[in-house]
Structure formats: structure tokens, C-alpha cells
Amino acid sequence: MDLRSLTPAELAERVRAAGQPAYRAEQVFRWLHGRGPADGVESAEAMSNVPRALGQALLEGAPLRPLAVDAVQQAVDGTRKLRFQTHDGRAIESVLIPDENRREPLDFRLGGRGAGIADADADADADGTDDDDGKPAPRLMGRLLRDKLTLCVSSQVGCALDCAFCATATLGFGRHLSAGEIVEQVYHATRIAGRRPTNLVFMGMGEPTHNFEGVSRALTLLQHPWGAAFSARRITVSTVGVVPGIEKLGALMPAPNLAISLNATTDEVRDRIMPVNRRWPIAALLDAARRFPLSHGRRVTFEYVLLAGVNDSDADAERLPRLLRGIPTKVNLIPWNPFAGPAFTRPSAERIRTFQERLRAGGLAVYIRTPRGDDIDAACGQLAARVEAPLVELQVGNAGRVPQPSPWPPTTSTAS
Ligand code: SAH
């Protein structure tokens, strides 16, 4: 296992085995998971306040397998896609999604104790995070509020599921990402954005529940007060609908928010577009959702990719509220994002609105997830980390319309 994947307890064990006092484990952990933009991302040799012999002993037992930032692309809407190269030459992607219309309490950003404070509004979430508490937000003269910034991370290289509408599926399964590789996406993104994301969503490449070991470790690391100190309420794990995986996520203490990619209202259609449905059909999936532990005010997010003529009929709009009855939910409609290959189309804007209206009439809280970053293939289902694509250090989609691209940190290494 790589050094950055180790939990504080495991680090402590190794520090003890190296004959060093326990407090060294905290020092090392802070180096590896530090919050500061330049902290601890590149090398443990830089652990200046830790005895060199200890650093060496730790690295011998567990090497660093850092990600290299390969390319950063910026879309006209401010969304940035980060492409990383793993130590073994694989490509993965994360997406930074700013949302200036939503304000966040400042102390989320500082990893502070504000995690119980409601969001500024319970409106549509462009990124699909389920983080509103359904309560009015505190409005402290705008001073303690901060723009929302969501980071979408990958959990695997490629994906083993074979969803017909998803670009990542075309890659097939590469391998699981280690916990260290998952959290490092967050640290690089923090450095590149110049601030910590307010929300994390496991909606990038891969199926998080297939890599439960890596993902659950990453959650532990990201929530630890020595590190980035994220609240579980600010983290959403999205699954294709692996029932045992949902059960395992629900058993975590604390459990993250759950999002389920439902995408159909009949087994007949879901079997066709999501082969995983043959293993865990809709009824079994919704049972698991019903059993998922929800702390106060939380809801399960159901994602629903809209495919014209496939799952957007009036009959679908009638069935969906009935299927979800009894589950505290929020539905995110995702107009299909095209990529080269499958013969799907996105429904018309009017059809999408009508579908939403009908779901609302059926009593559902339903939002349309506006495509973000689709001009750079950063939108849902477009992540395919095409290594053959030309590497672009910072591609500005349309310079005239980009508000203020953040400066590229001088410490970042880029391939070319
Ligand atoms: N494997 C996980 C997380 C990755 S997919 C899961 O299935 O939930 C993240 C979301 O993007 C899912 O809800 C998926 O249904 C959606 N998605 C996949 N391909 C898409 C596309 N081409 N257009 C729009 N959404 C897509």
C-alpha cells in the first residue's frame, strides 16, 4: 500500500515499529494530507521536521505513488477538468465545478465546525450534491458566506460497469485507485483552485462501491481533523446501484450522502441501458435505498440521465414518483451529455421541462442538472481521460467569457 493510503492508526503502528514517539504519526499525516496549497503533495522527503531515518523507514514500507498533473482545461462556465497521470502511467480525471450562485458559510472552507449550518438556498444543485438541509440559511450580511465549489473525483481507472450512455464505460476497467490517489485529487484541486472545495462528489470515473476499500479509506482520510477535515455531510458517493455496496456505505460511521443512478423506471429499460440492473433490479435497489440511514434532513439523491425516447415518456414521469414513494429523495435530472459513439440523443429543452413539471406534480423534489464544462468533455458521463488527446496546459474555452481564471500555481509540474 502507498504511504498516503494509510490511516492515522496504521501510520502510528509503523511509527512505533520504527521506534519513534507517537506524535510523529501526526506530523507525518499532516505532511501527507496537509491543507495548505503546497503541503505534502509531492514528496515525503520534504518532511522537514521528521527525522530522516523515520521518513526513509516509512517510505521503504510504503512508497509514495504520487499523481502528476497532466493537464488542466477550463470551460467557458468556469468548470475545470484536471487530468492526472498515475505512477504507472494511467490517466484519470477530476472536475472542479464552481457555482457562484450558491453561497457557502465560510467556515466549511476552513474545515471548521459549521457543518451543521444550512446552505443559503435549497435550489437546484448544478453538481448534484445533496447538501441542503431544507432550512433557510443564515444570512450573516453575506460576510460569512462563500461561493460553493464542488470537486468531482474518480475512484477507478476506467469502469467495469457497462452503462450504454457513459463515456467512461468505453474504456473498460483499468484498476482501482488507492485511497492515496483518491485524496490526492482533492489536494491537487485545492492547490489549483486556491481554496478547498466545499463539496466532494464521487461521480467521476469508476464505480465507487466496486472500490469500497479505497473509497472508504479515502473518506476516513478526508474527514480526519489532522487533514482536510471534511464533514461527511459535504461528501456524496454516487453508485450505479450495487446493493451490497449501498449497505456497506450506509454502515460507515459517519455515512456519506448517497446518490443512486436510477436512469429508468422499468427493469426492461434499465436492463438495456445499465446491465447491472440484471443483478440488482429496481425493486432491490429501492429497498436498499429505503434502508440507507439518513441523518436529520438528509435525502437520497436519485440521478436520472434523460435519453430522448428511451426514459423520458409521460409514463416514466408517472411511474417515478410512485417508485420513490416513502424515500426522502431529491431527483437530479441530467440531460444526456453526448460523446462519440452511442446513438442516444438529449431530449429537447421543452421535453425536459415538461418531464420535470410532471415529476413535481407527482410530489418529487426535482432539479435539472445543467451540463457543466461540456465544451471540454467534463460534464457527467464524458470523462474518458483520453491519453491520445493533445495535452493542454491551460486551455481557456473562450477567453472573452471567462470571468477570472485563477492563476496557475507555480509549483505545479506539467507534462507537455
Ligand atoms: N459509477 C457511479 C459514478 C459515476 S457516473 C454512478 O454510476 O453513479 C456519474 C453520473 O453520471 C451517473 O449518475 C451517471 O448516470 C451519469 N452519466 C453517465 N454518463 C452520462 C452522460 N453521457 N450524460 C449524462 N450523465 C451521464
Side-chain angles (χ1 to χ4, degrees):
M1 196 171 304
D2 60 291
L3 194 58
R4 200 171 273 111
S5 291
L6 299 180
T7 63
E10 288 165 342
L11 264 184
E13 186 56 50
R14 288 171 191 236
V15 164
R16 204 174 311 127
Q20 288 283 327
Y23 71 88
R24 295 286 186 203
E26 177 175 345
Q27 283 180 323
V28 172
F29 190 90
R30 287 185 185 277
W31 274 109
L32 295 167
H33 303 274
R35 283 183 217 177
D39 284 354
V41 172
E42 305 294 347
S43 94
E45 276 107 6
M47 297 186 287
S48 57
N49 57 349
V50 174
R52 175 168 282 258
L54 174 61
Q56 273 163 0
L58 291 174
L59 281 168
E60 257 163 45
L64 270 182
R65 300 218 172 99
L67 299 177
V69 180
D70 225 10
V72 178
Q73 288 174 285
Q74 178 151 341
V76 294
D77 64 11
T79 298
R80 274 184 281 190
K81 183 163 80 170
L82 321 180
R83 196 170 85 207
F84 301 102
Q85 205 176 100
T86 61
H87 71 100
D88 56 349
R90 315 287 192 118
I92 56 160
E93 294 173 333
S94 315
V95 184
L96 266 168
I97 309 153
D99 193 347
E100 273 100 39
N101 296 321
R102 290 173 54 93
R103 313 294 292 181
E104 291 290 323
L106 178 61
D107 50 358
F108 287 147
R109 188 183 155 232
L110 303 177
R113 321 180 5 163
I117 301 175
D119 275 346
D121 60 63
D123 204 354
D125 279 331
D127 51 59
T129 56
D130 181 21
D131 54 12
D132 60 270
D133 295 327
K135 291 181 252 156
R139 297 187 188 279
L140 299 171
M141 299 184 293
R143 217 155 36 92
L144 290 176
L145 300 177
R146 196 80 203 172
D147 291 335
K148 180 172 176 179
L149 178 65
T150 299
L151 178 69
C152 176
V153 296
S154 293
S155 57
Q156 298 178 318
V157 179
C159 187
L161 279 313
D162 202 18
C163 301
F165 47 81
C166 179
T168 306
T170 63
L171 300 173
F173 177 66
R175 67 166 172 85
H176 295 312
L177 293 179
S178 74
E181 290 172 321
I182 294 171
V183 302
E184 217 189 312
Q185 295 172 58
V186 180
Y187 309 151
H188 275 296
T190 299
R191 187 165 45 85
I192 287 165
R195 65 179 174 116
R196 205 187 65 152
T198 54
N199 298 67
L200 296 180
V201 296
F202 285 75
M203 294 183 187
M205 296 165 70
E207 166 55 29
T209 63
H210 269 185
N211 181 14
F212 187 79
E213 163 75 10
V215 168
S216 56
R217 263 175 191 277
L219 294 176
T220 301
L221 299 171
L222 290 167
Q223 290 170 48
H224 201 279
W226 294 348
F230 275 93
S231 156
R233 301 170 76 91
R234 298 270 138 187
I235 303 177
T236 300
V237 176
S238 178
T239 175
V240 74
V242 176
V243 166
I246 293 172
E247 285 161 358
K248 286 196 275 180
L249 284 174
L252 292 175
M253 301 284 253
N257 297 306
L258 175 68
I260 295 177
S261 301
L262 186 59
N263 300 343
T265 63
T266 64
D267 284 323
E268 190 264 320
V269 172
R270 199 165 189 270
D271 278 353
R272 219 168 51 201
I273 59 174
M274 302 178 75
V276 70
N277 195 65
R278 294 174 204 151
R279 182 85 169 80
W280 293 287
I282 293 176
L285 179 55
L286 295 182
D287 272 350
R290 246 176 224 108
R291 291 193 305 267
F292 192 81
L294 293 171
S295 54
H296 180 71
R298 301 279 92 183
R299 292 184 278 178
V300 176
T301 299
F302 284 91
E303 295 154 290
Y304 196 96
V305 180
L306 281 168
L307 307 164
V310 175
N311 63 2
D312 66 339
S313 70
D314 289 348
D316 287 306
E318 261 173 44
R319 276 189 295 263
L320 193 52
R322 272 188 276 141
L323 285 175
L324 302 184
R325 194 156 296 152
I327 311 174
T329 52
K330 158 167 157 175
V331 173
N332 270 316
L333 299 178
I334 316 176
W336 184 65
N337 294 308
F339 60 95
F344 292 115
T345 49
R346 180 188 289 183
S348 70
E350 199 201 327
R351 182 65 216 155
I352 294 169
R353 249 191 322 271
T354 306
F355 196 79
Q356 179 186 31
E357 297 287 294
R358 285 173 183 260
L359 294 183
R360 283 214 168 124
L364 288 178
V366 44
Y367 307 103
I368 297 171
R369 197 186 295 176
T370 27
R372 300 296 306 267
D374 49 344
D375 52 326
I376 54 166
D377 287 346
C380 299
Q382 292 185 316
L383 300 186
R386 299 203 323 272
V387 264
E388 73 273 21
L391 294 180
V392 187
E393 191 168 311
L394 176 59
Q395 177 188 304
V396 177
N398 179 339
R401 286 166 55 199
V402 173
Q404 264 301 309
S406 299
W408 180 247
T411 50
T412 303
S413 60
T414 51
S416 60

